Amino acid sequence: MFKALGGGLLTFVMVWALVLGWWQSNDHEPSKSDLALSLAALPLALIGGYWLLRVFIEHLKAPPSVAMPSMAATLDDDPLSSSKAKTAAAERSFTHCLVNAFIVAAPGISADDLLSAIEAGKRPEPCFRVTDEKGFPVFLAEVSDLDVDAALVRLEEGSESMRQLTEYPGVVRALALLEGLMDAVREPLEHILQQDKEGIHLRVLWVLPANWSPSCHAALRSWLQLNDWPLLGKGKLEIALQAAANEVDAIRLLDEAVLRVNRDSNGMELTLLLGAASNVDELTVSNWAAANSLFSAQHQQRKIPGEGAAALLLASRATVEHLGLTDAVVISRASIGTRDKAVDAGGRIGGKLIEQLVAGLLNTLAIESSRVKTVVFDTDHRSNHIAEAMEGVGQAFEHLEPIKDCLATGTVHGALQPIGSLLALACARSKVLLTEAPALFVSNQHELDRAVVLVMPYASQIDTKSSPT
């Protein structure tokens, strides 16, 4: 109080001394308004401005007030919030059974063919069927002896909407790939269904490339329904079509399947997750070249077009044990994240995100990294992607040999968004069956999105008490 009063009097004295001194030096005779403004209003304005500034500064320095919830608000909150958190944590450890995998790609018609091609160091070669704007052959990973003409004829013999699919060369080639793949799927699938015709529900989930026109979806569904499903009773077959923009989108669909079957694990259910993509037609190649994303001798850090198809046959643990299915492996839920910048944006390329995703997944499943004997990536030849992948798994998996145990499937089958991740998972399954040890799958083909899944040997619930449903 006294400090404030003293400061005010000091301000008046200083202002009066300065003003009176200035008037005297200039022989100025002040009027009544000069006396009021200079000797009264001016010091009061200075004092008021000082206190306004001080209050404003104190307001800025004060911590923000946090409103305490009332008792009523606490009572109105979700009483199950803690149980929901526990449920979400438990759901992170859910698993699913992968009982079979089928693929068609440039290196061959099985996961073992792809793994052999990787081991042999094979790479896509120039294709004289497709040339660039300078007339040079384009590097492609195309499936040899693909009967595109037969697929085209079957579409032309179908409905009007199916005939419209012939306008899209990439779609026609993808359907030709799927026809060959479905021939391989049908026999083992029928063998499973024969064991329990009445109780098994088959859910077919078709992963479509996002660049396929939505107007084609109805025709694609009709095309798929023409496939022979003789052992399924009416109402036992469910077909769903889902568009995916990249490899991690396909893994998200797989993760949703794992989550759904564990939430409702009483039924006998099979899920067939399938997809096909073809990027080797002239239109797609020219579009990639225009977008500066096509591999060439001058630009080797770009993508090599590829084509292929994959189908993963999934079953609940109850179905596997009820039917006594062999060669099953267990897959975890996916850990998914997004990089803060594109892997090709320049600067140092780090694998911190992959390292965090892997560490979180292993911690959730309570599995030591030393038990993992193989790492399978869906990435291709591009050095930035390879460097990121190897740094991401380097510290936790120092016991692995990079060339022998860290495999990049995209190097042999080219760019296959969005289904390249499904082919890589098929290869991971094959390595688990061979080594009888867990294998880690890492998706880092996309510029930003990343995903990791652990593939493990199957163990019956009779043999372990800790196996998730």
Side-chain angles (χ1 to χ4, degrees):
M1 178 66 180
F2 292 105
K3 291 176 64 177
L5 182 60
L9 292 175
L10 180 62
T11 303
F12 271 91
V13 171
M14 292 181 63
V15 170
W16 287 354
L18 291 172
V19 170
L20 293 174
W22 180 72
W23 284 345
Q24 184 178 10
S25 65
N26 289 280
D27 294 327
H28 176 70
E29 185 176 350
S31 63
K32 292 182 178 180
S33 61
D34 290 337
L35 292 173
L37 290 174
S38 299
L39 300 183
L42 180 59
L44 288 175
L46 292 175
I47 294 172
Y50 166 78
W51 282 105
L52 287 175
L53 180 62
R54 180 172 178 176
V55 170
F56 178 71
I57 293 174
E58 293 296 330
H59 173 72
L60 293 179
K61 292 169 60 177
S65 60
V66 179
M68 297 300 293
S70 64
M71 183 62 68
T74 304
L75 294 176
D76 289 340
D77 196 9
D78 183 6
L80 299 179
S81 59
S82 60
S83 62
K84 287 183 178 179
K86 294 178 181 179
T87 301
E91 288 181 347
R92 292 303 309 158
S93 62
F94 282 166
T95 60
H96 205 3
C97 296
L98 176 58
V99 299
N100 213 331
F102 312 87
I103 66 171
V104 175
I109 58 173
S110 69
D112 291 338
D113 290 341
L114 260 68
L115 293 171
S116 297
I118 296 172
E119 183 179 357
K122 293 183 179 180
R123 295 292 184 268
E125 298 180 350
C127 173
F128 291 90
R129 179 180 61 83
V130 181
T131 57
D132 61 17
E133 58 182 8
K134 297 181 180 180
F136 293 106
V138 175
F139 282 81
L140 298 177
E142 64 176 349
V143 176
S144 60
D145 301 327
L146 183 63
D147 196 350
V148 180
D149 293 336
L152 194 60
V153 169
R154 281 187 282 273
L155 288 174
E156 291 174 344
E157 294 175 348
S159 62
E160 181 179 354
S161 61
M162 291 177 62
R163 288 195 294 270
Q164 292 177 353
L165 297 177
T166 61
E167 301 175 5
Y168 305 96
V171 175
V172 175
R173 291 189 67 92
L175 295 182
L177 290 165
L178 271 181
E179 287 181 350
L181 185 73
M182 294 306 296
D183 290 339
V185 171
R186 187 171 289 106
E187 181 177 351
L189 180 59
E190 290 183 353
H191 176 72
I192 294 175
L193 297 175
Q194 282 176 345
Q195 302 180 54
D196 194 335
K197 298 180 183 180
E198 300 299 327
I200 295 183
H201 178 90
L202 175 62
R203 184 171 186 265
V204 179
L205 178 57
W206 188 357
V207 182
L208 302 177
N211 60 354
W212 287 12
S213 173
S215 61
C216 299
H217 289 190
L220 292 170
R221 177 184 291 273
S222 299
W223 179 89
L224 186 61
Q225 288 173 334
L226 291 178
N227 281 275
D228 188 18
W229 308 99
L231 298 175
L232 289 171
K234 187 176 181 180
K236 296 288 185 178
L237 174 64
E238 177 187 352
I239 296 178
L241 278 63
Q242 291 283 348
N246 57 61
E247 291 80 2
V248 174
D249 283 347
I251 296 300
R252 286 191 178 96
L253 295 175
L254 177 65
D255 186 66
E256 291 173 4
V258 176
L259 186 60
R260 183 179 52 81
V261 78
N262 279 273
R263 286 176 172 173
D264 184 19
S265 59
N266 295 325
M268 303 294 291
E269 178 178 306
L270 294 173
T271 300
L272 185 65
L273 180 66
L274 60 88
S278 179
N279 301 311
V280 301
D281 59 284
E282 294 182 358
L283 178 60
T284 302
V285 169
S286 63
N287 289 339
W288 284 24
N292 295 324
S293 60
L294 180 65
F295 175 92
S296 66
Q298 293 76 27
H299 304 285
Q300 298 188 15
Q301 296 304 313
R302 298 179 180 177
K303 296 186 295 184
I304 297 177
E307 64 179 357
L312 304 180
L313 185 58
L314 304 157
S316 63
R317 183 177 289 273
T319 304
V320 171
E321 296 188 352
H322 175 71
L323 300 179
L325 301 179
T326 59
D327 291 341
V329 299
V330 176
I331 62 172
S332 71
R333 291 196 61 195
S335 290
I336 298 174
T338 302
R339 288 177 55 89
D340 55 356
K341 69 173 184 177
V343 71
D344 296 321
R348 184 183 179 279
I349 304 301
K352 189 66 176 179
L353 174 60
I354 294 178
E355 181 181 352
Q356 292 173 347
L357 293 176
V358 171
L361 182 62
L362 294 178
N363 182 64
T364 298
L365 299 174
I367 291 182
E368 297 291 336
S369 60
S370 58
R371 293 179 54 190
V372 177
K373 302 303 180 185
T374 309
V375 179
V376 180
F377 308 103
D378 63 5
T379 192
D380 53 21
H381 64 283
R382 290 173 289 173
S383 58
N384 285 345
H385 293 253
I386 294 292
E388 178 207 20
M390 296 307 297
E391 181 176 332
V393 302
Q395 295 184 358
F397 301 95
E398 293 180 348
H399 60 286
L400 301 181
E401 297 182 21
I403 296 179
K404 178 182 177 183
D405 301 323
C406 300
L407 312 173
T409 57
T411 57
V412 295
H413 62 56
L416 277 180
Q417 69 274 8
I419 65 159
S421 52
L422 304 184
L423 276 75
L425 271 173
C427 291
R429 170 184 176 271
S430 183
K431 294 297 291 186
V432 170
L433 293 176
L434 178 65
T435 62
E436 298 183 350
L440 182 71
F441 160 72
V442 178
S443 178
N444 73 317
Q445 174 78 347
H446 187 252
E447 289 79 6
L448 292 171
D449 293 341
R450 300 292 177 262
V452 296
V453 175
L454 193 65
V455 186
M456 300 162 282
Y458 177 82
S460 173
Q461 286 183 328
I462 299 176
D463 301 328
T464 175
K465 296 181 180 179
S466 60
S467 297
T469 300

